[in-house]
Amino acid sequence: MNALQITGINELKLATVPDPVAGPGEVLVDLRAAALNHRDVWIKLGQYAGLKYPCIPGSDGAGIVTAVGTGVDAAWIGRAVIINPAVGWGDDERAQGAAFSILGLPRDGTLAARIAVPAAQLASKPDHLSWEEAAALPLSGLTAWRAVFTRAALRPGERMLVTGVGGGAALFALQFAVADGAKVWVTSGSEEKIVRAKTLGAQGGFLYNRAGWAVEAAKTAGLFDVIIDSAGGEGFNELIDLAAPGGRIAFFGATRGNSPGIALRKIFWRQISLLGSTMGSPADWAAMTAFVASHPVKPVVSSVFPLSRAAGAFALMEAGGQFGKIVVHLAD
Ligand SMILES: NC(=O)c1ccc[n+]([C@@H]2O[C@H](COP(=O)([O-])OP(=O)(O)OC[C@H]3O[C@@H](n4cnc5c(N)ncnc54)[C@H](OP(=O)(O)O)[C@@H]3O)[C@@H](O)[C@H]2O)c1
């Protein structure tokens, strides 16, 4: 089958590799579309724990089940599915266990014509989503869901700020929170992305590259009950300033690196909770997919690339050019 491999640091190769086989408890999925996450870029750049080359990247996929391994109900065959990329979470809702892994390293990922995955990872493809929209949902949707609802426990009517709204997970945080009745503001490096976020229900937005943006945000929008971040870096202290007394800051990434000189005194004096979050449990996955099936939430597909031009998809993400998800089309 055709697949995209990462063969070394910054080395992408279109390859013909043996078809995977569904092992015990697994299914074989013929993939229609896959989507990129920043994780795939970190792996390509050699900046991810447990690197193994060559590997087939990709954590997000949607397709049709074509075969089942022993112990799996044959009724799965022919069903349109999306794949939960959080494998082996374990039985503790508070955190994943030692056997946890993410599809697309160490296990082969979704940038391929076919994939074998445990049947327990499957959910039905939401009917109202195209293949591209369905492939865009899993990793970012799951991550955003857990950060916003499980960790930060956002309630309808609360005020929330999402940073870097052009990012895949950030945009889902905006869409889910708006659909749940929260009032949401955003930041971005691009005025155009802020305008687009407003069409999805954002109250307003601020350019994080503009000096003094956080002071302006506090003056014009006020403080926030919940802040969702994945940038980290030096700007994290501005988020602490923007949290309301008793506010919660949930974060799941550090695109801009660690945050030096965190203002500890402000955090304890103002009763602020800092909440780390990663991916999501099977319960988070079930809640997220049920929410998408019953609310008018459609993943935003920024661009679609054929597998033969997947390098262009990586380049777009590295340049931060996307608004929403970058999708790779695999078959009709
Ligand atoms: N722990 C987990 O489970 C988990 C899951 C998913 C993602 N992540 C991490 O979260 C981060 C985002 O992932 P993703 O896949 O959503 O990436 P992505 O689609 O590539 O989004 C990255 C976004 O970061 C924003 N950004 C860049 N510099 C920023 C700054 N100084 N302040 C605020 N935002 C800034 C940009 O927003 P604009 O385009 O609006 O400027 C950009 O679009 C990555 O570090 C990723 O590794 C972690």
Side-chain angles (χ1 to χ4, degrees):
M1 68 169 179
N2 291 331
L4 183 84
Q5 287 185 323
I6 301 179
T7 52
I9 293 177
N10 277 326
E11 288 173 16
L12 295 178
K13 181 182 151 198
L14 274 173
T16 305
V17 299
D19 269 21
V21 174
E26 293 185 345
V27 298
L28 189 68
V29 180
D30 267 28
L31 291 161
R32 295 296 193 269
L36 286 199
N37 291 283
H38 217 92
R39 176 178 199 270
D40 304 305
V41 167
W42 298 131
I43 293 170
K44 173 180 165 279
L45 295 175
Q47 296 173 12
Y48 204 88
L51 285 174
K52 175 200 82 160
Y53 299 132
C55 66
I56 299 176
S59 306
D60 285 332
I64 292 182
V65 178
T66 52
V68 297
T70 53
V72 179
D73 188 347
W76 276 110
I77 293 174
R79 281 180 59 184
V81 295
I82 54 174
I83 303 168
N84 177 359
V87 181
W89 178 277
D91 50 18
D92 187 346
E93 276 304 312
R94 295 170 306 170
Q96 68 274 32
F100 178 75
S101 68
I102 302 170
L103 209 58
L105 185 83
R107 228 186 145 96
D108 278 342
T110 54
L111 287 168
R114 278 172 278 286
I115 191 169
V117 289
Q121 301 305 120
L122 301 182
S124 293
K125 170 182 160 292
D127 286 338
H128 66 295
L129 303 187
S130 67
W131 285 115
E132 284 77 14
E133 290 164 345
L137 180 64
L139 190 147
S140 294
L142 178 64
T143 303
W145 182 272
R146 182 170 176 89
V148 171
F149 296 110
T150 307
R151 302 292 281 139
L154 180 75
R155 293 183 290 272
E158 283 195 315
R159 300 158 49 77
M160 181 170 114
L161 176 72
V162 187
T163 64
V165 73
L171 194 48
F172 277 115
L174 165 68
Q175 290 180 279
F176 292 163
V178 166
D180 197 51
K183 290 193 161 51
V184 187
W185 284 259
V186 300
T187 73
S188 180
S190 143
E191 190 73 68
E192 188 200 331
K193 293 183 187 182
I194 291 174
V195 170
R196 293 189 66 184
K198 285 190 200 163
T199 67
L200 292 169
Q203 305 283 322
F206 307 94
L207 290 167
Y208 57 67
N209 290 330
R210 186 175 284 171
W213 75 266
V215 174
E216 182 200 338
K219 262 193 211 148
T220 57
L223 302 179
F224 301 97
D225 304 303
V226 168
I227 298 176
I228 302 295
D229 182 58
S230 60
E234 298 218 352
F236 200 80
N237 269 327
E238 289 171 318
L239 304 185
I240 293 167
D241 288 337
L242 283 171
R248 294 94 76 197
I249 303 176
F251 61 102
F252 51 82
T255 306
R256 296 285 146 182
N258 284 329
S259 304
I262 291 213
L264 292 178
R265 291 181 182 84
K266 290 183 184 173
I267 297 172
F268 68 69
W269 184 250
R270 297 189 15 243
Q271 315 274 354
I272 292 167
S273 301
L274 293 192
L275 302 158
S277 194
T278 277
M279 303 280 288
S281 68
D284 292 320
W285 170 257
M288 185 277 286
T289 51
F291 185 86
V292 169
S294 59
H295 289 78
V297 172
K298 273 197 172 203
V300 177
V301 174
S302 182
S303 341
V304 182
F305 290 78
L307 187 63
S308 58
R309 288 188 45 235
F314 276 78
L316 181 64
M317 179 165 271
E318 283 177 59
Q322 75 277 28
F323 182 77
K325 296 293 292 183
I326 299 170
V327 169
V328 176
H329 186 72
L330 295 165
D332 290 323

